[in-house]
Amino acid sequence: MKKQIAIIAGGDSSEHDVSLRSAAGIFSFMDADKYDCYIVEQRGNAMQVLVEDEKIPMNLHDFSYTHKGERRTFDFAYITIHGTPGENGLLQGYFDMIQLPYSTSGVLVEAMTFNKFVLNNYLRGFGYNVAKSMVVYKDEAHKISAEKIESELGMPCFIKPAADGSSFGVSKVKTKSDIPAALELAFNESNEVMIESFLQGTEISIGCYATKEGLVSLPATEVVTENEFFDYNAKYNGQVQEITPARLQPDTAERVAKQVKEIYSLLRCNGIIRIDYIISKDSEGNDVLNLLEINTTPGMTATSFIPQQVRAAGLDIKDVLSDIVENQFD
């Protein structure tokens, strides 16, 4: 019997439709000889499964649905929601309660990685390099001054939603006068905003996943854009050059691959993650690894970073996804 796989997409963030594109990618990549896959779209308190071009409401008491008079269930959930509730632990808690295996990390890890400020300060405690930052809550925004931001973090700096899985609401701020508008933009996406110092260097992104045999780190992707930073247009509208493998010194590439496995193990991650870095230089010209953030439901269209990296590693994305699924079963 083939395993029944629910590919769960949509969500309640600004990247609802982007998530559906990832779901279509995963659907096309999955091994049809092993799995029967169905896309389940979530929005708010409702989910519906696409079966033979018909959208059928899910019974959330047991994550089942009825088709042609027959009750059907799933063996596994592949979560590809970008943002809440699939990237912050909410959906994971639901599946834990009904005891359905899923593709991502657990509740605590998802909640921690979703909040960029919490994650970065947690990892700083283990000696990893992260940018200096501060957090501002919407109901206390009036207490923070532009002068304080400039004196503590310098200019330019980044203002971004602290607890959000999307590319919306992010600004590179160059002057104090730009801060109020940038805060307002970020608060449209999250009630919690992180202000982060600017790091000069090369931006890369690297994937890592677990198999029954151990952890696999993928070749890193170098992100080159003429935009101010890797924003929504760069990410989704082609205003970027993505170079895989990244043009790193061999020892730097080895250090990055080793570190992503260390962090995966430290956090007790699950499934496939992607870690973004800025590679800067120290006073002696040596490469320094600066962690930006961890994405636990990375984009999975044919042109997304992870499929690019899988191809560069000489692997088949079908086999990678099978490894992720089978790793949840004895």
Side-chain angles (χ1 to χ4, degrees), residues 131-317:
K132 289 180 61 178
S133 61
M134 65 173 66
V135 66
V136 182
Y137 298 96
K138 193 170 188 177
D139 61 352
E140 297 181 346
H142 61 282
K143 297 180 181 179
I144 189 76
S145 68
E147 288 72 23
K148 179 179 175 63
I149 293 170
E150 183 179 44
S151 65
E152 292 195 14
L153 302 178
M155 291 287 165
C157 67
F158 280 98
I159 295 180
K160 61 181 73 173
D164 187 72
S166 78
S167 303
F168 292 93
V170 182
S171 301
K172 182 180 180 181
V173 173
K174 296 181 179 179
T175 65
K176 289 188 296 183
S177 61
D178 295 330
I179 289 175
L183 284 172
E184 183 178 356
L185 185 67
F187 281 130
N188 286 335
E189 302 295 327
S190 171
N191 289 328
E192 191 174 340
V193 165
M194 183 168 75
I195 309 174
E196 189 176 47
S197 63
F198 173 72
L199 292 170
Q200 182 68 49
T202 301
E203 183 167 355
I204 66 164
S205 190
I206 177 170
C208 182
Y209 67 100
T211 72
K212 289 185 183 297
E213 288 72 42
L215 297 182
V216 178
S217 59
L218 297 170
T221 298
E222 180 180 345
V223 180
V224 182
T225 179
E226 294 183 1
N227 296 5
E228 284 287 352
F229 60 97
F230 189 45
D231 59 8
Y232 183 89
N233 283 323
K235 186 179 291 187
Y236 297 118
N237 294 330
Q239 298 175 10
V240 67
Q241 183 182 6
E242 299 166 2
I243 302 167
T244 308
R247 297 170 295 184
L248 300 174
Q249 296 293 332
D251 64 318
T252 302
E254 187 175 327
R255 285 167 55 210
V256 171
K258 180 182 178 183
Q259 186 175 113
V260 71
K261 287 182 178 181
E262 287 177 356
I263 293 172
Y264 192 108
S265 297
L266 171 68
L267 296 177
R268 308 292 292 178
C269 291
N270 182 51
I272 194 159
I273 68 168
R274 204 189 72 224
I275 302 185
D276 299 339
Y277 287 93
I278 294 289
I279 309 298
S280 62
K281 298 286 187 181
D282 64 17
S283 59
E284 298 178 353
N286 300 308
D287 285 342
V288 178
L289 313 184
N290 304 281
L291 187 145
L292 288 180
E293 62 181 88
I294 298 178
N295 190 322
T296 60
T297 62
M300 291 293 284
T301 68
T303 58
S304 295
F305 287 160
I306 293 298
Q308 286 184 48
Q309 294 172 14
V310 168
R311 290 192 294 270
L315 301 171
D316 189 326
I317 188 69

Side-chain angles (χ1 to χ4, degrees), residues 50-63:
L50 183 63
V51 182
E52 298 174 4
D53 295 326
E54 179 186 358
K55 290 185 176 181
I56 303 172
M58 294 293 300
N59 181 342
L60 298 184
H61 291 291
D62 58 2
F63 202 64

Side-chain angles (χ1 to χ4, degrees), residues 87-108:
E87 205 171 7
N88 59 357
L90 298 182
L91 198 56
Q92 287 78 9
Y94 163 68
F95 286 129
D96 284 342
M97 291 176 68
I98 65 170
Q99 299 183 326
L100 185 73
Y102 50 85
S103 59
T104 68
S105 305
V107 173
L108 177 61

